[in-house]
């Protein structure tokens, strides 16, 4: 194993820990906006995970998957934020 393999391993471990921490905050989040932010952070972490996997394999076949995850994460976060804003506006 060379140094780059160790770097990839550490990167995957750190990304996994970050996903676990954001999922914990997703469950424990005190407000809806915290949960929306955690979903957005989780989608960014998943995109990062796939991007590192692309770098490890050296295969660019998953670039479409990265772009799709990015667009779905953005649209999902935007939709959830607009829904939360309307809900807060309706409450008063």
């Amino acid at each position: 194993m060379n140094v780059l393999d160790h770097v990839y391993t550490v990167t995957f471990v750190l990304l996994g820990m970050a996903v676990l921490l954001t999922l914990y905050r997703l469950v424990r989040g005190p407000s809806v906006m915290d949960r929306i932010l955690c979903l957005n952070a989780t989608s960014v972490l998943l995109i990062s995970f796939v991007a590192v996997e692309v770098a490890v394999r050296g295969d660019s076949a998953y670039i479409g998957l990265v772009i799709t995850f990015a667009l779905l994460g953005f649209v999902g976060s935007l939709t959830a934020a607009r829904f939360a804003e309307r809900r807060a506006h309706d409450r008063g």
Side-chain angles (χ1 to χ4, degrees):
M1 282 180 75
N2 59 14
V3 176
L4 203 53
D5 291 334
H6 292 295
V7 170
Y8 287 141
T9 303
V10 170
T11 303
F12 283 131
V13 169
L14 290 176
L15 283 173
M17 289 173 35
V19 167
L20 290 176
L21 289 171
T22 56
L23 290 178
Y24 173 75
R25 180 42 97 188
L26 180 69
V27 172
R28 295 267 321 203
S31 70
V32 175
M33 292 307 285
D34 288 332
R35 289 185 170 101
I36 292 170
L37 182 64
C38 288
L39 282 175
N40 191 18
T42 304
S43 69
V44 168
L45 289 170
L46 290 175
I47 291 166
S48 301
F49 184 81
V50 173
V52 172
E53 184 67 27
V54 165
V56 168
R57 292 180 186 226
D59 185 16
S60 61
Y62 295 108
I63 296 298
L65 183 65
V66 169
I67 292 170
T68 303
F69 275 169
L71 288 174
L72 287 175
F74 173 72
V75 170
S77 296
L78 186 65
T79 304
R82 289 193 65 164
F83 175 73
E85 179 186 13
R86 284 187 184 168
R87 192 168 135 188
H89 180 66
D90 290 343
R91 285 187 181 169

